């Protein structure tokens, strides 16, 4: 198996793609503000959306 070392820019692209989803960005923002671990249930309870995409 060949493992490719990613460049800094390739890593940034992956991060920005993940954060381009509004729900994921809201989750990251919430976790940053809380400064603590949260379960999926706690995250879902704190989001305003009825349909939550957790991935």
């Amino acid at each position: 198996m060949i493992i490719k070392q990613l460049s800094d820019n390739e890593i940034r692209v992956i991060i920005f793609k993940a954060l381009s989803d509004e729900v994921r960005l809201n989750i990251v923002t919430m976790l940053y503000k809380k400064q603590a671990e949260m379960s999926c249930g706690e995250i879902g309870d704190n989001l305003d959306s009825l349909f939550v995409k957790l991935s």
Side-chain angles (χ1 to χ4, degrees):
M1 174 173 33
I2 298 173
I3 299 174
K4 179 185 173 196
Q5 182 69 29
L6 298 176
S7 71
D8 288 344
N9 281 339
E10 288 172 318
I11 293 170
R12 288 182 186 102
V13 167
I14 292 169
I15 292 169
F16 283 118
K17 280 183 181 180
L19 294 178
S20 68
D21 180 89
E22 184 178 2
V23 174
R24 289 182 187 149
L25 184 57
N26 287 338
I27 291 169
V28 171
T29 302
M30 181 182 2
L31 291 171
Y32 177 77
K33 287 179 180 177
K34 182 141 175 127
Q35 292 291 308
E37 293 182 9
M38 296 175 73
S39 69
C40 290
E42 291 172 314
I43 292 171
D45 289 343
N46 284 285
L47 291 176
D48 295 331
S49 176
L50 294 175
F51 179 74
V52 180
K53 291 189 295 185
L54 296 177
S55 61

